[in-house]
Amino acid sequence: DSGVTQTPKHLITATGQRVTLRCSPRSGDLSVYWYQQSLDQGLQFLIQYYNGEERAKGNILERFSAQQFPDLHSELNLSSLELGDSALYFCASSAGPGRETQYFGPGTRLLVL
Amino acid sequence: AQRVTQPEKLLSVFKGAPVELKCNYSYSGSPELFWYVQYSRQRLQLLLRHISRESIKGFTADLNKGETSFHLKKPFAQEEDSAMYYCALSGSSNTGKLIFGQGTTLQVKP
C-alpha cells in the first residue's frame, strides 16, 4: 500500500502518560499534516511539516510535539495525557508545502482513561 | 477569523432525490475550498476542490464569493452516496492547512 499509513490503529492509556503516534506519508510526498478529530471540536489542524521543517502550527497544545524525520515519516508525541485528549488523530500528506491535495491516513484512535 | 460552517448535522433523502449539502465560510482573502468524504470505516478522501471545477461521482460545487458559500450538489442521490461530508478551506498559499466544517452525514434511503 503506497498510501498514508498510521500506527498504531488504537491506543488505550491512562491519564498522565505519554504516547507516540507514527505516520508514514505517501511515496514522494514531502508535507505531513496532523489533525485531531473529537466529538466537541470536530476536525482541527494541529501542525504541518514540510521536508523536515515545521511549516504551520494550529491549536496544538504545549504538551504535544511533533517532528518529521529525514526519511519523511512523522511522529506526534502527546504527553501528560488528559481525558480530553481522547480523540481520533489523523495524519495527511501532500506533495508540496501549499494547497496541494492532501491524502489522509486511517487515523489512530486514542482513548485516555 | 477563518471559519467553515456546515449547518446540517444530518441530511436524509430518498434515492433519486436531489441533494444539497450546505457550506459557508468566513475568510478575508482568496481561499481554496474543498469537499472531503468519509465512507463508513474508510479514510477521508478528497471529493472535489473548487479550482479544478470537476464533477466527481456526479457531485458539483460552485464557489459563490458574494454569499461566501460552497454548497455541494447532486441531482440524483444514490444509496452509495451515504457518508460523512466535510467542507474545508485552505487560506494561505504558503501552507496547505485545512480548516474543516463540522461535517454533514448524508443518509440516502432506498
Side-chain angles (χ1 to χ4, degrees):
Chain A
D1 183 2
S2 59
V4 179
T5 59
Q6 290 185 247
T7 56
K9 281 189 176 179
H10 303 277
L11 202 46
I12 302 175
T13 188
T15 54
Q17 295 298 305
R18 173 189 166 95
V19 297
T20 297
L21 312 184
R22 183 188 167 102
C23 168
S24 292
R26 289 188 329 149
S27 177
D29 283 356
L30 299 180
S31 268
V32 169
Y33 301 80
W34 286 98
Y35 295 88
Q36 179 193 57
Q37 185 178 40
S38 60
L39 282 174
D40 53 345
Q41 299 287 333
L43 258 170
Q44 291 220 315
F45 167 74
L46 294 179
I47 197 163
Q48 177 197 1
Y49 279 83
Y50 173 68
N51 206 19
E53 301 287 328
E54 183 183 302
R55 185 79 179 186
K57 216 167 183 175
N59 296 326
I60 187 167
L61 299 171
E62 283 193 18
R63 300 183 285 107
F64 295 2
S65 65
Q67 59 184 128
Q68 187 179 28
F69 294 86
D71 68 352
L72 301 176
H73 90 273
S74 177
E75 292 181 357
L76 179 67
N77 300 296
L78 315 177
S79 61
S80 303
L81 285 167
E82 301 176 0
L83 296 178
D85 298 328
S86 296
L88 194 52
Y89 291 85
F90 286 108
C91 168
S93 74
S94 68
R99 296 175 172 179
E100 295 86 3
T101 297
Q102 292 181 32
Y103 296 87
F104 281 76
T108 292
R109 187 172 295 279
L110 173 66
L111 180 59
V112 182
L113 300 175
Chain B
Q2 301 177 19
R3 188 182 297 125
V4 176
T5 304
Q6 293 179 249
E8 301 136 331
K9 271 194 166 181
L10 172 68
L11 183 63
S12 186
V13 302
F14 284 102
K15 177 183 169 182
V19 170
E20 182 178 52
L21 298 167
K22 290 184 168 41
C23 172
N24 289 91
Y25 68 91
S26 172
Y27 184 71
S28 56
S30 295
E32 182 157 353
L33 276 297
F34 304 80
W35 276 99
Y36 276 82
V37 60
Q38 187 174 30
Y39 299 102
S40 179
R41 296 179 187 168
Q42 294 185 27
R43 62 189 71 192
L44 264 81
Q45 53 187 285
L46 179 68
L47 184 60
L48 52 82
R49 54 194 296 176
H50 89 268
I51 60 164
S52 66
R53 304 187 70 80
E54 291 177 316
S55 171
I56 306 294
K57 298 185 179 184
F59 284 98
T60 59
D62 288 317
L63 180 61
N64 185 324
K65 291 187 178 180
E67 295 183 358
T68 59
S69 68
F70 189 57
H71 303 327
L72 184 68
K73 299 178 184 178
K74 184 169 182 177
F76 307 104
Q78 306 295 319
E79 288 182 68
E80 54 265 30
D81 296 329
S82 294
M84 185 74 155
Y85 291 80
Y86 292 95
C87 182
L89 172 158
S90 179
S92 165
S93 58
N94 290 329
T95 165
K97 76 173 189 180
L98 294 171
I99 308 298
F100 282 92
Q102 290 291 93
T104 298
T105 299
L106 174 64
Q107 184 183 75
V108 181
K109 297 178 284 190

